[in-house]
Structure formats: C-alpha cells, structure tokens
Amino acid sequence: MKKILSLIAIAMLSLSSFVFAQYAADATVEAANSYADRSTQTINIEDQYDYLHPSAKNVQITLEYTPLTDEVRLYYTCLASSYDQGEAMNTAMAVLQDFAAEHQYKHYFYKAKDKTKYFKDAETKLRMAKYSSYVYYKK
C-alpha cells in the first residue's frame, strides 16, 4: 500500500512539473519591451543665478531628471549660516523655468511640498542646508 501511495505521489509531482513548467522568453520580445529609458540623469547646474541669492555662499544646484516620466528633483545646497528660504525658492524657480525652456516644456507642476533639511557635511564639518523641490513637466 505504501508503494502504491508513493508511486501516485511521484506521478502527481512529475505531472505538476510538466503543467507548470516555464518556457524561456524570446530575446527579441524582451528587447522590444525594454525600449524605454528608465534611468535618472544627474545634472549639476553652474551657479549663474548669483543675483537671486546674494547672501548664500557655496551654492550647489543639482537636478535629477527622469525623461520617461518628465520628473525633476531639484536640490539647492549652501551653508546653513547664509541660507535664506526666499532666495532658495527664487533660485529654484529660475532654474526650473530655464530647464523647461531648454527641454521644450510649457508648464511644470509641484508633486510634493518643498522641503528644507539641515545636516553636517562630513568633509568640511560645516552645517549645510539643503532645499529640495519635486516637480513634473507637461509639454
């Protein structure tokens, strides 16, 4: 009786493996499905907006651009002692408008509230402020 049950169990397992077997997909189909560029480009902006932030020192402006979804994350980093949120907002708006004109976008909309984060830089041991803005563009 035990032999019959074990043979039935083995037969069921082998039958289920044939039923649920996976076949390898064709390479051309996988290549056709992966045509979209899902990567994020990091763009460092040269600080040509000095007139918008006269009190901020050592300003670094970085954009993270995702072309597939037309989303941009802007990071404005400077010394915490010279940080002014109004200047950061004005500079961010100017950078986003220039980016829109450069890439033929007509409008941009905010996806989240702008945030300010304070941290201590590991290399220079100075307190820094980082203003971030998250937008998406429409053509």
Side-chain angles (χ1 to χ4, degrees):
M1 182 73 171
K2 291 181 183 179
K3 290 181 183 180
I4 293 173
L5 289 176
S6 63
L7 288 174
I8 291 174
I10 292 172
M12 294 298 282
L13 286 174
S14 62
L15 182 62
S16 65
S17 66
F18 287 120
V19 172
F20 297 111
Q22 295 181 353
Y23 295 101
D26 188 15
T28 57
V29 173
E30 286 183 18
N33 289 338
S34 63
Y35 67 92
D37 182 20
R38 298 182 183 111
S39 63
T40 300
Q41 302 170 4
T42 302
I43 304 167
N44 292 323
I45 305 293
E46 292 182 26
D47 190 18
Q48 55 189 340
Y49 304 96
D50 293 343
Y51 62 95
L52 292 172
H53 55 83
S55 65
K57 305 290 185 238
N58 298 335
V59 174
Q60 296 174 345
I61 303 170
T62 307
L63 296 177
E64 291 180 355
Y65 173 52
T66 308
L68 181 65
T69 57
D70 298 325
E71 295 177 351
V72 171
R73 291 181 188 265
L74 178 135
Y75 299 106
Y76 171 97
T77 308
C78 69
L79 292 171
S81 61
S82 64
Y83 174 74
D84 180 23
Q85 187 169 359
E87 291 178 359
M89 289 172 49
N90 291 338
T91 306
M93 286 175 29
V95 169
L96 292 173
Q97 288 172 354
D98 289 347
F99 183 83
E102 184 179 319
H103 290 86
Q104 289 88 31
Y105 290 113
K106 292 185 180 178
H107 307 286
Y108 67 90
F109 302 95
Y110 290 91
K111 287 194 83 163
K113 287 179 67 175
D114 294 348
K115 298 176 186 171
T116 302
K117 177 183 171 185
Y118 294 93
F119 64 98
K120 190 171 189 178
D121 189 20
E123 295 176 8
T124 60
K125 306 283 192 227
L126 296 173
R127 286 195 35 87
M128 305 291 281
K130 182 182 276 191
Y131 174 84
S132 62
S133 183
Y134 185 29
V135 300
Y136 69 96
Y137 286 94
K138 292 284 186 177
K139 289 195 178 200

